[in-house]
Amino acid sequence: MSAAQVPATYTRTTGTTWTPAWQLSKPATGAQLVIKRKTKILRTLDARAAGAALTAAWDGTLADGTRVPTGTYTWELTAAPEEGTGAGITLTGSLTVTDGA
């Protein structure tokens, strides 16, 4: 991986999303972003690929639309190489969700 733009905080307001982006060294496929609180998986999202770039968007809700509580969450991005050779990637980090006005 060569670069990432993954905001560590997300101030949830109407119409906004947390939008992390990763620039990989080669194209990937099957990319998923998992949002967790402690060990509980709260949301699994498909990351969008454009060449070697991956992006995702999360609005701070569960799959049923319920807003998650403010606090700290972890994220995990996984993807496989598009050409099928080499190891897949797993990247992790944390995110603090707050509520805006």
Side-chain angles (χ1 to χ4, degrees):
M1 190 180 98
S2 56
Q5 292 181 339
V6 183
T9 59
Y10 165 50
T11 302
R12 181 177 43 203
T13 57
T14 302
T16 65
T17 57
W18 177 65
T19 53
W22 300 267
Q23 182 64 46
L24 309 178
S25 58
K26 58 184 176 180
T29 188
Q32 288 195 317
L33 179 67
V34 175
I35 309 292
K36 299 178 187 179
R37 184 135 199 202
K38 300 187 180 179
T39 59
K40 183 179 181 181
I41 295 174
L42 300 178
R43 191 80 187 260
T44 300
L45 304 164
D46 291 329
R48 294 177 300 280
L54 295 174
T55 59
W58 182 49
D59 62 0
T61 64
L62 303 173
D64 68 2
T66 304
R67 290 164 62 113
V68 299
T70 59
T72 302
Y73 297 83
T74 58
W75 57 264
E76 180 179 273
L77 175 75
T78 57
E82 187 176 74
E83 80 282 352
T85 60
I89 62 159
T90 299
L91 303 172
T92 60
S94 63
L95 164 69
T96 300
V97 175
T98 61
D99 279 326

